[in-house]
Amino acid sequence: KAGVTQTPRYLIKTRGQQVTLSCSPISGHRSVSWYQQTPGQGLQFLFEYFSETQRNKGNFPGRFSGRQFSNSRSEMNVSTLELGDSALYLCASWTYDEQFFGPGTRLTVL
Amino acid sequence: DAKTTQPNSMESNEEEPVHLPCNHSTISGTDYIHWYRQLPSQGPEYVIHGLTSNVNNRMASLAIAEDRKSSTLILHRATLRDAAVYYCILRGTGNQFYFGTGTSLTVIP
């Protein structure tokens, strides 16, 4: 069974731009979570989607948004990028008890 | 958000057991205790989870205190491949995971 895939793997943007990251969960998994990982703040929960609905949201500004499609694929969008948004963005899909993480998208904001 | 406290770092000799502690004094009755680890340059991976009773799987054992305010992840024979950051997480209702800072485990050959 294929694992969680994330595209692109690396991305460089400039301040003020927006970015969209994509996540394809493991086949059959309906729940997808997103996390931001930085050296200073560690792994922080962004949001979780289940059956196209956002179920939970972490403490991030409204510039961070996401959505999930009917095939469970998910995207997250960051608008008006700031230098502090440089991070590894991780996506995970769920079975009932276990999360399976993708390799992440490394976003650099210049 | 239920919080966990872990030591920042630990060391272990290869092929010896490792006990990674976690304090979670504010745990509620329905919170599950989950452990994940993150190898260098990879996303986190599931290790083990439990509610009240001790748990074993092929990777590790989880010992949960009777009052559930602390737990210990046990790696029975550390290998170099076990060098990672280990996260202890409380999962309540829903799928919100708050990872904390974790314990960086160094395995000495």
Side-chain angles (χ1 to χ4, degrees), chain A residues 1-2 34 41 50 52 55 59 63-64 80 84 106-107:
Chain A
K1 190 183 262 193
W34 287 90
Q41 299 296 319
F50 179 83
E52 302 178 67
R55 280 205 301 198
N59 189 25
R63 300 185 298 107
F64 291 81
T80 319
R106 173 75 62 185
L107 172 65

Side-chain angles (χ1 to χ4, degrees), chain A residues 31 33 35 37 42-43 45 48 55-58 88 90 94-103, chain B residues 32 34 36 38 41-47 49 87 89 91 93-101:
Chain A
S31 174
S33 294
Y35 297 85
Q37 187 169 29
L43 264 160
F45 172 78
E48 184 226 352
R55 280 205 301 198
N56 295 290
K57 190 176 192 305
L88 180 67
L90 289 157
W94 283 86
T95 59
Y96 183 72
D97 287 326
E98 184 177 343
Q99 289 186 96
F100 296 84
F101 282 82
Chain B
Y32 280 78
H34 283 245
Y36 279 71
Q38 188 171 21
S41 303
Q42 295 186 26
E45 65 176 352
Y46 169 84
V47 178
H49 80 282
Y87 295 97
I89 307 147
R91 180 192 181 192
T93 56
N95 289 344
Q96 282 178 278
F97 255 36
Y98 294 93
F99 272 78
T101 54

Side-chain angles (χ1 to χ4, degrees), chain B residues 16-101:
Chain B
E16 289 188 357
V18 183
H19 291 234
L20 297 165
C22 181
N23 288 315
H24 29 78
S25 58
T26 60
I27 191 171
S28 73
T30 55
D31 285 340
Y32 280 78
I33 301 158
H34 283 245
W35 284 82
Y36 279 71
R37 71 180 186 181
Q38 188 171 21
L39 303 171
S41 303
Q42 295 186 26
E45 65 176 352
Y46 169 84
V47 178
I48 201 167
H49 80 282
L51 183 63
T52 56
S53 304
N54 295 343
V55 184
N56 300 292
N57 66 21
R58 64 175 178 81
M59 288 182 69
S61 295
L62 176 60
I64 301 172
E66 198 169 329
D67 63 5
R68 300 205 332 121
K69 294 187 176 185
S70 66
S71 61
T72 302
L73 178 70
I74 302 164
L75 307 179
H76 296 287
R77 287 179 71 246
T79 69
L80 297 179
R81 196 193 170 279
D82 291 322
V85 178
Y86 287 79
Y87 295 97
C88 168
I89 307 147
L90 300 184
R91 180 192 181 192
T93 56
N95 289 344
Q96 282 178 278
F97 255 36
Y98 294 93
F99 272 78
T101 54

Side-chain angles (χ1 to χ4, degrees), chain A residues 32-77:
Chain A
V32 172
S33 294
W34 287 90
Y35 297 85
Q36 180 195 65
Q37 187 169 29
T38 60
Q41 299 296 319
L43 264 160
Q44 294 188 280
F45 172 78
L46 278 158
F47 25 66
E48 184 226 352
Y49 286 87
F50 179 83
S51 293
E52 302 178 67
T53 301
Q54 186 181 90
R55 280 205 301 198
N56 295 290
K57 190 176 192 305
N59 189 25
F60 277 81
R63 300 185 298 107
F64 291 81
S65 64
R67 59 178 176 169
Q68 187 179 33
F69 301 95
S70 58
N71 62 358
S72 295
R73 190 178 70 84
S74 178
E75 289 181 347
M76 68 161 283
N77 184 278

